[in-house]
Amino acid sequence: MNRNPLLDVSKSPTMDQSAEKGISRRKLLGGAALAAPAVAGLTALTRGGDTAVAETNGATGRHAHAGHSDFPHAAFASGRTVDHRANGFHPTELLRDFDYGRTRRLASGRVLREWEIVAQDREIEVAPGVKYEAWTYNGRVPGPTLRAREGELLRIHFLNGSQHPHTMHFHGFHPSLMDGMPGIGENRGGGQIEPGESFTYEFDASPFGLHLYHCHVAPLAAHIARGLYGAFVIDPKQGRDEADEMVMVMNGFDTNFDLSNEVYAVNTVGFHYVDEPIRVARDELVRIYLVNVLEYDVLNSFHIHGNFFNYFPTGTSLEPTEFTDTVIQGQAQRGVLELKFPYDGDYMFHAHVSEFAELGWTGFFRVGDPSRLAAATAASMYCDLPWGKGSPA
Ligand SMILES: [Cu+2]
């Protein structure tokens, strides 16, 4: 359970401080089709007590699926995972990592909240063996989840440490000079920020809701797809109910730069939450901040198994508009999901665009006491993907 520190801002100790390439997506899908026997393992769900549990693979774990041993699969099948240490960020930690910046109280009584953001070029691994020359905010993809409270004054000190010009364009209310838009405010230090240059964006936290920020330099799709985006949460003044909160940024990677994605994910690493299911408590409120930043595909979606959620589009109302198990988002659309898990077990969540699900956009929630649960066999669904051969690059 995360207690939102924004609700305690007046007590904050900081308050008084002065201030690959040769493989295409279609080829991947063709390869995925060959993995049908592995996918079939996924459907082998059996009832166990009150809880649907995945059939265990026994002592040899997730790689012990049978029926297709003649199909070569090196990386996933050998247990390789992404080197999170080399990446410098870990999708499991990133999930609940909210960056509240630093705050101080202005003479007016208003809270000033500030962050330092640096654009950096960095190679990251988006699936085992699949490297990508990313452009990042603060070395991670997605960039930090910036979180503030409605009505505060926000300052984002941006330094462009990349080899390419970039900006930070925030969704929300702000004057045009603060829009991170090339050509606007160039004579006042804003607009396009060249390598080595810096600029401070300043605006009010408004409206409350779930927003995003991203680079706005042309070619726009390329600058965004490279990794220059992040979630931007503005809490309502009165806050929201306490919950286990997490951020899911739906993204993809065009690893051969052919203007279509080869890898799809939530928080960058394909199938990460299959390898490490998201642990949640039974009957506890879970709140998901879901943002779609996918380029080169018009729509993305989120679907959950064995459950329904309340959906708050853009998070700008405290009343949900829908009670559903599937939501579709266009690019830059986002929304808040609230749900509870009434039963123990492993519950899949994935893009209901099945093509995306099979190329990485799939994960699991693990509810309840792990010692009472059978191990999920879901990893077997992707072990035969051509990524697993370790040579897309
Ligand atoms: Cu850029």
Side-chain angles (χ1 to χ4, degrees):
M1 176 93 59
N2 293 336
R3 174 75 185 156
N4 182 346
L6 288 170
L7 299 177
D8 298 321
V9 70
S10 61
K11 298 175 204 147
S12 164
T14 60
M15 288 300 300
D16 297 318
Q17 292 170 7
S18 52
E20 93 236 27
K21 292 146 187 149
I23 192 156
S24 76
R25 164 185 172 182
R26 300 299 155 188
K27 282 183 190 163
L28 277 171
L29 285 169
L34 292 173
V39 176
L42 244 199
T43 61
L45 295 174
T46 55
R47 293 288 295 179
D50 289 337
T51 306
V53 293
E55 214 171 72
T56 180
N57 269 336
T60 49
R62 68 188 179 87
H63 310 300
H65 50 269
H68 52 103
S69 56
D70 54 331
F71 192 82
H73 47 84
F76 279 122
S78 67
R80 255 187 82 197
T81 56
V82 162
D83 186 346
H84 303 295
R85 187 181 297 262
N87 273 355
F89 59 90
H90 195 297
T92 296
E93 292 161 13
L94 199 145
L95 199 63
R96 294 179 173 96
D97 181 14
F98 295 94
D99 187 340
Y100 295 93
R102 62 181 193 278
T103 58
R104 65 187 168 96
R105 183 81 64 180
L106 299 171
S108 62
R110 196 176 179 199
V111 170
L112 169 65
R113 192 175 295 274
E114 299 177 89
W115 296 270
E116 318 284 338
I117 305 289
V118 181
Q120 300 165 269
D121 303 338
R122 178 169 198 147
E123 185 185 75
I124 59 172
E125 191 178 8
V126 297
V130 182
K131 303 289 180 61
Y132 183 73
E133 294 292 337
W135 299 344
T136 74
Y137 290 122
N138 286 5
R140 45 172 274 180
V141 180
T145 298
L146 306 183
R147 189 157 182 179
R149 186 159 56 159
E150 184 184 14
E152 292 174 339
L153 179 62
L154 310 183
R155 269 185 205 148
I156 302 97
H157 305 281
F158 175 60
L159 169 65
N160 186 1
S162 162
Q163 302 288 312
H164 311 271
H166 299 303
T167 70
M168 290 186 78
H169 163 75
F170 285 82
H171 288 219
F173 290 111
H174 51 246
S176 66
L177 175 61
M178 298 299 159
D179 199 37
M181 188 59 213
I184 298 179
E186 302 282 357
N187 58 347
R188 296 171 63 185
Q192 182 163 304
I193 312 300
E194 300 298 329
E197 292 186 344
S198 60
F199 183 71
T200 296
Y201 299 95
E202 179 177 312
F203 47 86
D204 299 336
S206 172
F208 82 77
L210 171 57
H211 312 307
L212 68 156
Y213 62 91
H214 58 86
C215 177
H216 218 298
V217 170
L220 188 53
H223 277 249
I224 294 175
R226 285 280 193 147
L228 289 169
Y229 46 76
F232 173 39
V233 179
I234 299 179
D235 286 344
K237 277 185 176 145
Q238 67 274 37
R240 298 179 193 267
D241 292 341
E242 262 191 53
D244 180 4
E245 299 195 314
M246 56 193 76
V247 175
M248 294 190 183
V249 176
M250 300 191 287
N251 54 2
F253 295 91
D254 173 16
T255 57
N256 59 359
F257 304 103
D258 66 349
L259 307 185
S260 70
N261 296 301
E262 279 69 50
V263 175
Y264 292 84
V266 159
N267 297 338
T268 300
V269 177
F271 294 117
H272 173 77
Y273 302 113
V274 175
D275 274 336
E276 294 186 26
I278 300 169
R279 292 278 171 79
V280 292
R282 181 169 153 175
D283 294 326
E284 182 176 301
L285 183 64
V286 172
R287 180 174 298 118
I288 302 169
Y289 294 93
L290 180 74
V291 184
N292 179 31
V293 297
L294 190 65
E295 286 290 352
Y296 310 124
D297 291 285
V298 176
L299 297 174
N300 206 334
S301 68
F302 175 102
H303 167 62
I304 190 154
H305 286 205
N307 213 330
F308 265 61
F309 52 83
N310 278 313
Y311 189 65
F312 306 74
T314 321
T316 46
S317 168
L318 298 178
E319 293 300 320
T321 59
E322 202 176 358
F323 186 54
T324 181
D325 62 10
T326 306
V327 65
I328 293 172
Q329 293 182 344
Q331 221 248 357
Q333 270 193 308
R334 61 277 183 192
V336 177
L337 287 64
E338 289 187 352
L339 68 163
K340 291 180 180 177
F341 292 86
Y343 305 111
D344 286 353
D346 284 349
Y347 297 94
M348 190 179 241
F349 65 100
H350 61 93
H352 220 298
V353 187
S354 306
E355 180 184 6
F356 301 173
E358 290 180 346
L359 288 172
W361 184 165
T362 299
F364 274 85
F365 284 99
R366 179 159 293 169
V367 187
D369 179 358
S371 67
R372 293 175 44 232
L373 301 172
T377 59
S380 66
M381 76 175 291
Y382 63 85
C383 70
D384 286 342
L385 277 179
W387 305 341
K389 294 175 190 167
S391 59

